[in-house]
Amino acid sequence: MSDQIIRLTAAETAAKIASGELTAVEVTEAHLARIEAVDEKVHAFLHVDREGALAQARAVDEKRARGEKLGPLAGVPLALKDIFTTEGIPTTVGSKILEGWIPPYDATLTKRLKAADVVILGKTNMDEFAMGSSTENSAYGPTGNPWDLTRIPGGSGGGSSAALASFQAPLAIGTDTGGSIRQPAAVTGTVGVKPTYGSVSRYGMVAFSSSLDQGGPCARTVLDAALLHEVIAGHDPMDSTSIDAPVPAVVEAARNGSVTGMRVGVVKQFRGEGYQSGVIQRFDESVALLKELGAEIVELDCPSFDLALSAYYLIAPSECSSNLARFDGLRYGLRTGDDGSHSAEEVTSLTREAGFGPEVKRRIMLGTYALSSGYYDAYYGSAQKVRTLIKQEFERAFEQVDVIVSPTTPTTAFPIGERADDPMAMYLADLCTIPTNLAGNAAMSLPCGLAPEDNLPVGLQIIAPAMKDDRLYKVGAAVEAAFVEKWGHPLIEEAPSL
């Protein structure tokens, strides 16, 4: 029975809890048992809040017993990326500098999950401060991809994607600065959505790059992602970048998937050298499928997209250099060298040396250099101009098409350690996802089969204009249904055994 429970979708689980066929406690216990059974091998979680999760589940069952109406995800377990503050349980952001820090407040997203009676199982592993594409940069060790534990589960949100793919949770939360929701989804055969920038509150989300960071839903199906999206999205006066506008009808779109009459753009810059042949094969099949389903395919040329990676790796490190200045060893978190023999400046230096990992230090130094006197205009200023060009090219493209599709990642999951000493090779994992973050648009990755050469998942990326997130779900649901009808769900039916 426990194995059957963990393989239900979030929508199915919520329906069974609402009808009384299952209790929230039974569902939570089944997932906690799964975590205990497999997470020693996967290492998706940094902290499991067993008592807290069971208390939340009991509260849901009590509500149902009293006849109270339950929300669409009441009692459904969720894995929360360890970048959102959670009152009473640790938030480390995958870094030693915040090891053991217990926040005194909840992030807005965390509050909304609790208000919707979603059961938070615990906090998931991630690249330190969300800086990475493989979850190898976590100070607490790497996470394995459930398809092949010797390979990466993507990054920075590899813990959340691995929790889904190993059936430790039916829902998860990630954050996406340059692809950190979509890239992990692609390489684990799951669904990940980067909502429009500003449509999900960043209050209580530890900042990496403030103009790029965006929280979003992760799931195993498009409908589950839509249900979660609806819970976490919406205006928040605590976040100065929050959009004060209604949340698009994402659940309705996911329930009524169709591409009939839609114009779907294919950008020529999203293929070529460095792309794995199996990834291109599955992408071309996806484009053919969209045409078969009634979409018109439009070829697009967006030359500035070739500059996106360079622009991103100036803008993101510059903003991280500013944001991470708050970690000084004096206010909270790790403090090293405070023995009476060092000055405050020396304590700060020793704390940062001990608390930050190599990738975080690399990006802080890159960003500090790009912002320094005499170099600001040449580097950071120029990158922001390129960002404007990319945004304008997206706007012109969306005058011709309703959505854009591409491979989510150039390759399938690579072996752990393969790119650890080659930062540029690591950064190329986000080649297809970064332009969307720079423009602030909405995007989704969903499974589109397995690459024939290694039998590992491939992701299809769908990009929509800002505040048109419902188009992602409308197209994604149509593609998902067609794939399941033709080949079966690549995760639910072919997932590896742990």
Side-chain angles (χ1 to χ4, degrees), residues 4-24 26-28 31 72-77 170-171 220 224:
Q4 293 171 9
I5 290 173
I6 64 171
R7 289 178 181 270
L8 295 171
T9 67
E12 291 167 343
T13 301
K16 288 181 182 293
I17 291 171
S19 69
E21 187 177 338
L22 289 172
T23 68
E26 286 174 330
V27 171
T28 300
H31 286 90
L73 289 177
V76 179
L171 295 173
R220 290 195 292 263
D224 285 358

Side-chain angles (χ1 to χ4, degrees), residues 146-157:
W147 287 84
D148 178 346
L149 292 172
T150 69
R151 292 177 182 260
I152 59 99
S156 62

Side-chain angles (χ1 to χ4, degrees), residues 180-426:
S180 291
I181 288 174
R182 290 162 290 157
Q183 187 251 7
V187 300
T188 57
T190 56
V191 177
V193 178
K194 186 205 87 69
T196 297
Y197 177 79
S199 63
V200 174
S201 174
R202 291 189 300 111
Y203 178 75
M205 184 178 90
V206 181
F208 159 21
S209 180
S210 301
S211 74
L212 299 166
D213 298 341
Q214 184 58 67
C218 310
R220 290 195 292 263
T221 71
V222 171
L223 175 59
D224 285 358
L227 290 165
L228 183 54
H229 189 142
E230 199 165 75
V231 165
I232 62 175
H235 179 246
D236 177 18
M238 300 293 285
D239 176 2
S240 63
T241 59
S242 179
I243 297 172
D244 190 1
V247 179
V250 294
V251 173
E252 181 185 343
R255 294 189 190 278
N256 298 285
S258 173
V259 297
T260 304
M262 293 184 77
R263 294 166 299 164
V264 176
V266 177
V267 178
K268 78 173 190 178
Q269 280 75 18
F270 285 145
R271 65 189 302 147
E273 187 180 348
Y275 285 75
Q276 189 175 319
S277 61
V279 169
I280 293 298
Q281 180 182 334
R282 293 293 176 245
F283 173 67
D284 288 342
E285 290 170 358
S286 300
V287 173
L289 178 63
L290 285 163
K291 190 172 183 180
E292 186 182 315
L293 293 172
E296 177 190 349
I297 307 302
V298 179
E299 297 287 336
L300 297 171
D301 184 11
C302 301
S304 67
F305 285 14
D306 286 336
L307 304 173
L309 194 70
S310 301
Y312 175 87
Y313 278 102
L314 284 167
I315 294 169
S318 295
E319 293 185 4
C320 107
S321 169
S322 176
N323 277 323
L324 270 61
R326 71 192 68 178
F327 298 98
D328 55 11
L330 303 179
R331 286 171 283 192
Y332 49 80
L334 181 71
R335 181 181 296 173
T336 301
D338 187 16
D339 57 5
S341 66
H342 296 99
S343 67
E345 185 177 291
E346 288 169 335
V347 168
T348 296
S349 180
L350 290 167
T351 298
R352 289 172 174 168
E353 171 59 30
F356 288 142
E359 182 62 27
V360 172
K361 290 174 183 173
R362 177 186 291 118
R363 297 198 194 194
I364 288 172
M365 288 188 288
L366 282 170
T368 303
Y369 181 78
L371 292 174
S372 60
S373 177
Y375 296 100
Y376 178 94
D377 288 335
Y379 293 110
Y380 184 75
S382 296
Q384 290 288 17
K385 290 174 183 176
V386 170
R387 183 180 196 168
T388 300
L389 290 175
I390 290 168
K391 190 172 185 297
Q392 290 172 345
E393 284 197 353
F394 266 121
E395 289 170 352
R396 286 195 292 271
F398 286 125
E399 289 174 1
Q400 303 174 59
V401 299
D402 299 297
V403 296
I404 293 168
V405 294
S406 77
T408 308
T409 58
T411 69
T412 56
F414 49 87
I416 292 173
E418 182 181 79
R419 303 184 187 181
D421 298 323
D422 189 347
M424 279 308 301
M426 186 74 78

